[in-house]
Amino acid sequence: MKTLETICSRKSIRSYTGEGITQDELKQILTAANASPVGMGRYDEMHLTIVTNPELLRKIDQAGAAMFGKPDIHPLYGAPVLILVSTKTPANKKENVAYSNAAIIAHNMALEATELGIGVCHIWGAVAAVAASPDIIKELNLPEDFIPCCGIVLGQTDYKYEPRDIPADRIEKNIIE
Ligand SMILES: Cc1cc2nc3c(=O)[nH]c(=O)nc-3n(C[C@H](O)[C@H](O)[C@H](O)COP(=O)(O)O)c2cc1C
C-alpha cells in the first residue's frame, strides 16, 4: 500500500478472531514504533510492553470495564495482544511532549498493523484504568517512574482493509492568507 492508502484504510477494529500475530509481524510493528519521532530524541524516556498473557489481559479488560462503570463490556475486545506505550512521568503536568510521543508511537504501530492486514485499535480508556491500578502496574514491570499513557490492541480479524472515503471537512479548518 502507499502511505495515504494505508492511512485511509485504517479503521478501529473491535472484532477479533482470537488468533494472535506472528513474531515476524510483531517485529515489523515494533520497527514502526522504533522509527517514530520522539521529542528531543529522548527514546530512553519511552517504553513498550507487549502483553499476551491471557490472565493479565483479562485483568486489564476488567479494570477498564470497571472504570467505565460497565462491568459487562470488554474494552480490549478480546484481542490477544496489547502493546502499552509508557513514558517517564513528566516532571510538570503541563508538559505535553511525553504524551504526544506515546500517541505518535502508538499510531505508527497502528499504521504498520493496517499495512499487514492485522486488526488494530487505539486503547486509551483501559490504559487509564491500568495507570490507576498499582497492582496491574506492578505486573507490568516498568522502569521506575514510568506510567502507561496509551496502547493498541492487535490480532487477526475477518475485516479486510480497503481505502475509505474520508470527508475532506471532517476537521474544521481556517486559512489565513
Ligand atoms: C487518542 C485516542 C484514544 C482512543 N481511545 C479508544 C479507546 O479507548 N477505545 C476504543 O475502542 N477506541 C479508541 N479510539 C478510537 C477512536 O474512537 C476512533 O479512532 C475514532 O472514532 C475514529 O474511528 P476510526 O478509527 O475507525 O477511523 C481512540 C482513538 C484515539 C486517537
Side-chain angles (χ1 to χ4, degrees):
M1 281 192 210
K2 295 213 167 74
T3 307
L4 192 58
E5 205 177 306
T6 307
I7 290 171
C8 291
S9 299
R10 184 214 58 81
K11 68 170 234 156
S12 296
I13 301 298
R14 299 188 175 95
S15 171
Y16 294 88
T17 63
E19 198 188 330
I21 63 173
T22 66
Q23 284 304 311
D24 211 42
E25 288 167 336
L26 178 62
K27 195 172 159 204
Q28 291 191 58
I29 289 166
L30 295 178
T31 298
N34 280 292
S36 303
V38 157
M40 305 282 285
R42 290 187 175 142
Y43 292 90
D44 59 328
E45 296 191 356
M46 306 306 299
H47 189 87
L48 299 170
T49 307
I50 297 106
V51 184
T52 56
N53 179 292
E55 180 53 21
L56 185 53
L57 287 171
R58 192 190 58 76
K59 275 190 204 169
I60 295 172
D61 193 58
Q62 274 187 354
M67 193 195 68
F68 286 119
K70 296 180 181 168
D72 295 335
I73 65 166
H74 293 287
L76 300 186
Y77 307 111
V81 184
L82 168 69
I83 303 184
L84 292 167
V85 187
S86 300
T87 180
K88 202 171 162 58
T89 309
N92 173 352
K93 281 212 159 149
K94 285 192 191 147
E95 207 261 276
N96 59 10
V97 173
Y99 301 117
S100 305
N101 288 337
I104 287 167
I105 292 170
H107 200 56
N108 254 18
M109 292 193 288
L111 290 177
E112 180 56 17
T114 305
E115 172 84 27
L116 294 170
I118 294 167
V120 59
C121 186
H122 283 289
I123 300 292
W124 255 252
V127 177
V130 169
S133 165
D135 286 353
I136 298 178
I137 292 283
K138 208 167 153 194
E139 288 193 55
L140 294 176
N141 205 13
L142 292 172
E144 206 176 320
D145 253 359
F146 275 58
I147 43 156
C149 298
C150 61
I152 55 168
V153 286
L154 294 163
Q156 304 303 333
T157 178
D158 290 332
Y159 180 80
K160 302 276 174 255
Y161 292 108
E162 51 182 51
R164 299 187 291 165
D165 281 334
I166 306 295
D169 54 356
R170 201 145 71 147
I171 300 175
E172 203 173 307
K173 65 173 179 299
N174 66 331
I175 298 172
I176 298 166
E177 291 180 317

